[in-house]
Every structure is written in C-alpha cells, then in structure tokens.
Amino acid sequence: MANKGRATFAKRQKEIARQERAREKAAKRVDKVKEKVERTSDYDPDIAGIIPGPQPLPYDLPEEEVVKEDEQDKP
C-alpha cells in the first residue's frame, strides 16, 4: 500500500507542473497581444529612410562615362 501514496504524490507534482506551464503560456500570449498593439504604429524600421522615386546610385560614375551617357540620350 505504500506505493499508492507515492503515486498520488507524483500525480500531484505532475499536475502542479502542468498548471505552472499553463500559466506561463497564458502570460506569453498576453505579452504577444501587447507587442502586436505596439507594432501597429505608422513607423516601420524596415523601410525607414526610403524615399519614393528614383534612388541615387550607390557609387559615383567616372566623368567620362557620364558624358558618354549624355551623348547617347541626344538623338
């Protein structure tokens, strides 16, 4: 009969651990909802600083190539 006492104690410990995990999950869910609310602002860090329209070249062209391009544009 001693085994019955142990099984009940182990069951209780297991149930307490399950309840604790459930509380942690619920807290994480609440945090995610709060985080989503904060992200709905108009500011998006991924596209900050991007200007619509033609973008400047990431490098400078030598003067010779710029002149050649201008000549090609004139028919």
Side-chain angles (χ1 to χ4, degrees):
M1 284 199 186
N3 288 340
K4 280 193 171 193
R6 276 191 159 178
T8 303
F9 181 74
K11 260 187 177 178
R12 179 70 183 136
Q13 293 300 98
K14 192 174 178 181
E15 180 65 18
I16 290 171
R18 185 193 64 77
Q19 289 173 351
E20 181 61 31
R21 283 192 304 272
R23 276 192 289 265
E24 289 173 3
K25 282 185 174 183
K28 284 183 183 180
R29 284 187 207 113
V30 170
D31 290 343
K32 281 186 179 182
V33 169
K34 287 180 182 178
E35 192 174 309
K36 284 183 181 180
V37 170
E38 293 172 2
R39 288 188 206 163
T40 58
S41 67
D42 293 337
Y43 178 75
D44 187 358
D46 293 335
I47 59 172
I50 294 179
I51 302 168
Q55 300 295 310
L57 294 175
Y59 54 88
D60 291 331
L61 291 174
E63 287 294 322
E64 299 167 352
E65 292 182 25
V66 174
V67 172
K68 289 178 184 177
E69 287 178 6
D70 289 341
E71 290 172 359
Q72 290 175 358
D73 292 339
K74 296 178 185 177

